[in-house]
Amino acid sequence: MIVNLATFAPPWLVVLPRLRFFQALELTQASTALSIVFPAGMAAGMGVSFGMLQRWGFPRREITRAMTLVGLWNQFLNLVFPIVAVFLLTASGEETALLATAAFVGVAILGVAVTAFVLALSSARLAHEVGEIAARLTSWALGKVRRGPVSWGGPSFERFRAGAGELLARRWHLLTAASLAGSLSVYLVLLVSLRALGVDASQLSAVEVFAAWALVRLLGTVPITPGGIGVIELGLTTALVAFGGNNAGVVAAVLVYRFLTIVPTLVYGLVAAGTWRRHRPPAEPVPVPPVGTMGGGGADTTLRR
């Protein structure tokens, strides 16, 4: 559970290098907790993340880039995991039609998403056109609720493309590794919960647990209830029992798993939501003029504003 909590922060440290570890932890826990508590769910979490980072002094452009890349990488992994699960099950002599269908859908969506993302990053003209279309559609939707048009458009998408492309060229592998660690730590909490409550490898192998987890994680991306409460428990229990786990042990392990991945985040997140204003991002270094120009001839050091 502690390892899982710690892995929330690294993806944000990759996309926002000036962010400190405990700030990133506060950010992720507060936004996740509020996304579970509030009916708006994901929108509430994103709004909290944006507000916290802006209050800490990060420019809007950096915040938008960071939120987009972290979110995209998480969704890419959610689509990849069922594909990996089908491959592992096939290699071990098992298969499941439902998971194969989910993997097929995942491959199709992933292919379209990755292709669109690569094209948007590689073409300034395409980024501009996509931005203009998105701005017109958003302004049209806002007009239906008597709100004004958006102030962004094609140029904003071009600037995002330039910034995201530069960051990914240097840090895509770090973002991938950090996102993988964050996702797989959740799977490990489930696996340990099952083993601790008597559901051993003779009933459910690590591959079968991974396959059930990957399928339910993909289904959980559809915001049916805040935090997937109820939906994930039912889906995960059904999948694990179908793979051969005993009903009582699986139900107990799933409830423990959900407790360990929700309640600590809720507690820490709500506390963080009330204390984050006290923290500021580290200031950028300001170089001192060469020795002799300040009149004292002191050592060559670095000041921070």
Side-chain angles (χ1 to χ4, degrees):
M1 180 194 74
I2 294 172
V3 170
N4 174 234
L5 287 176
T7 57
F8 274 76
W12 289 89
L13 300 179
V14 172
V15 295
L16 287 173
R18 288 193 296 123
L19 194 66
R20 291 191 293 253
F21 176 82
F22 283 105
Q23 282 185 314
L25 201 57
E26 285 183 325
L27 169 76
T28 55
Q29 298 303 297
S31 61
T32 303
L34 294 178
S35 69
I36 295 173
V37 171
F38 285 93
M42 187 180 297
M46 292 176 64
V48 169
S49 298
F50 195 96
M52 292 175 72
L53 290 169
Q54 193 170 30
R55 181 67 178 266
W56 284 335
F58 288 92
R60 290 188 176 187
R61 182 172 57 188
E62 291 185 17
I63 297 172
T64 302
R65 180 183 65 191
M67 292 176 64
T68 302
L69 293 180
V70 170
L72 279 176
W73 249 244
N74 282 333
Q75 294 305 316
F76 287 161
L77 289 178
N78 287 339
L79 294 170
V80 167
F81 287 140
I83 301 170
V84 175
V86 167
F87 173 79
L88 293 175
L89 284 175
T90 303
S92 61
E94 298 183 58
E95 59 181 60
T96 169
L98 179 59
L99 188 61
T101 302
F104 177 79
V105 173
V107 168
I109 297 175
L110 182 64
V112 173
V114 171
T115 300
F117 185 65
V118 171
L119 288 175
L121 288 181
S122 62
S123 171
R125 179 179 178 182
L126 181 60
H128 181 88
E129 292 177 354
V130 170
E132 289 295 314
I133 294 172
R136 286 198 293 268
L137 290 175
T138 305
S139 296
W140 174 81
L142 289 175
K144 296 297 182 180
V145 292
R146 301 180 184 276
R147 300 290 298 273
V150 297
S151 59
W152 48 267
S156 301
F157 271 57
E158 285 190 77
R159 288 192 295 271
F160 169 80
R161 167 193 167 273
E166 180 185 357
L167 187 145
L168 289 176
R170 294 181 290 107
R171 291 175 164 250
W172 69 269
H173 56 294
L174 297 176
L175 180 58
T176 301
S179 300
L180 267 174
S183 295
L184 293 180
S185 67
V186 182
Y187 158 69
L188 289 177
V189 174
L190 173 61
L191 183 62
V192 171
S193 299
L194 287 164
R195 297 296 184 253
L197 288 164
V199 183
D200 57 28
S202 64
Q203 299 178 49
L204 287 171
S205 67
V207 171
E208 291 171 330
V209 175
F210 178 78
W213 171 81
L215 174 62
V216 174
R217 188 174 178 88
L218 181 61
L219 297 177
T221 58
V222 181
I224 300 174
T225 60
I229 294 175
V231 176
I232 291 179
E233 289 83 354
L234 178 61
L236 200 51
T237 299
T238 302
L240 290 171
V241 171
F243 273 122
N246 73 83
N247 189 69
V250 166
V251 170
V254 168
L255 291 177
V256 169
Y257 158 73
R258 289 292 280 167
F259 178 88
L260 294 176
T261 53
I262 290 180
V263 174
T265 293
L266 277 175
V267 175
Y268 186 11
L270 293 176
V271 171
T275 61
W276 62 270
R277 291 179 178 83
R278 297 182 302 172
H279 304 288
R280 296 282 178 180
E284 296 180 359
V286 180
V288 176
V291 175
T293 60
M294 297 182 64
D300 185 11
T301 59
T302 300
L303 296 178
R304 289 184 178 270
R305 64 172 183 264

